Amino acid sequence: MSYDAPPPPPPPPPGQANPYGQANPYGQPGYGQQGSAADYAHWGKRVGALLIDGLLMFLTYIPAVIGVVIIVAGSETTTVNGTTTIENDDIGAAPILLILLSGLVYLGFYIWNIFIKQGRTGYTIGKGILGIKLISEQTGQPIGAGKAFLRQLCHILDGFFYLGYLWPLWDAKKQTFADKIMTTIVINQPKARG
């Protein structure tokens, strides 16, 4: 009676973790496995993604600008005995509603893009356009909305003299202080089209 060894397990589908703890035959690190050398995103791409996201955030101010223009255009200036008075009697509620709407759109877009979208996928709109992705250093996966929120809070430390924002220029892993605290990295990984 001869006993034959069972056949080796089949390889996992591309991009999925290998449940057997073996190296992924498709060349990508599996869940919880770090590749031999991560392809860290350089500072210029990170700044570019921030500028793209900032431009989109700026566009949410358009209704507020329209509201302010309506208020200013409807104002009358009078000067009596050297005292200047600005009066806005008939501006209506529309400009105030435009300003409030702009604030709500800004807040909603910010929460969706920075916390929800980036937390779930690793990409903000700007990061997706430039092909860089925020992931956990330990798992290689997106960090989730809660940790994305905490990471944004940690960026307060990066703002002291802007040193933390410049730190990726000479850091081996190209991390900001917030990245170091949250153990996150930003890698080059173009968004899959499809």
Side-chain angles (χ1 to χ4, degrees):
M1 181 180 207
S2 73
Y3 178 74
D4 292 327
Q16 287 191 358
N18 189 331
Y20 305 104
Q22 300 165 343
N24 191 331
Y26 296 99
Q28 294 178 329
Y31 183 81
Q33 298 174 350
Q34 281 294 74
S36 58
D39 185 14
Y40 302 114
H42 65 80
W43 186 78
K45 275 189 164 182
R46 292 180 71 156
V47 170
L50 181 68
L51 290 175
I52 291 169
D53 290 329
L55 175 64
L56 294 173
M57 298 297 287
F58 180 75
L59 293 177
T60 65
Y61 284 124
I62 291 174
V65 170
I66 293 170
V68 169
V69 167
I70 291 171
I71 291 171
V72 170
S75 300
E76 289 185 28
T77 306
T78 56
T79 304
V80 177
N81 296 332
T83 304
T84 303
T85 308
I86 299 174
E87 296 177 10
N88 289 334
D89 289 337
D90 297 325
I91 61 167
I96 304 300
L97 290 175
L98 284 172
I99 293 169
L100 291 174
L101 174 68
S102 180
L104 290 174
V105 169
Y106 175 90
L107 184 62
F109 181 76
Y110 185 84
I111 290 170
W112 172 78
N113 191 40
I114 304 298
F115 304 145
I116 298 170
K117 181 175 177 27
Q118 180 175 234
R120 288 182 182 166
T121 66
Y123 300 103
T124 61
I125 293 174
K127 282 181 172 74
I129 290 170
L130 293 182
I132 60 176
K133 183 177 184 179
L134 173 71
I135 59 172
S136 167
E137 192 173 14
Q138 284 91 16
T139 66
Q141 300 298 312
I143 61 175
K147 285 189 177 180
F149 173 75
L150 291 175
R151 182 175 176 267
Q152 285 303 111
L153 287 179
C154 291
H155 277 311
I156 293 169
L157 296 174
D158 292 326
F160 290 118
F161 305 109
Y162 296 101
L163 184 62
Y165 290 118
L166 297 173
W167 203 262
L169 287 169
W170 55 80
D171 187 70
K173 295 180 183 177
K174 308 214 181 305
Q175 293 174 300
T176 63
F177 294 158
D179 289 323
K180 290 186 177 300
I181 293 167
M182 297 301 298
T183 62
T184 56
I185 54 175
V186 179
I187 59 170
N188 288 306
Q189 186 170 25
K191 200 171 180 181
R193 305 284 180 213

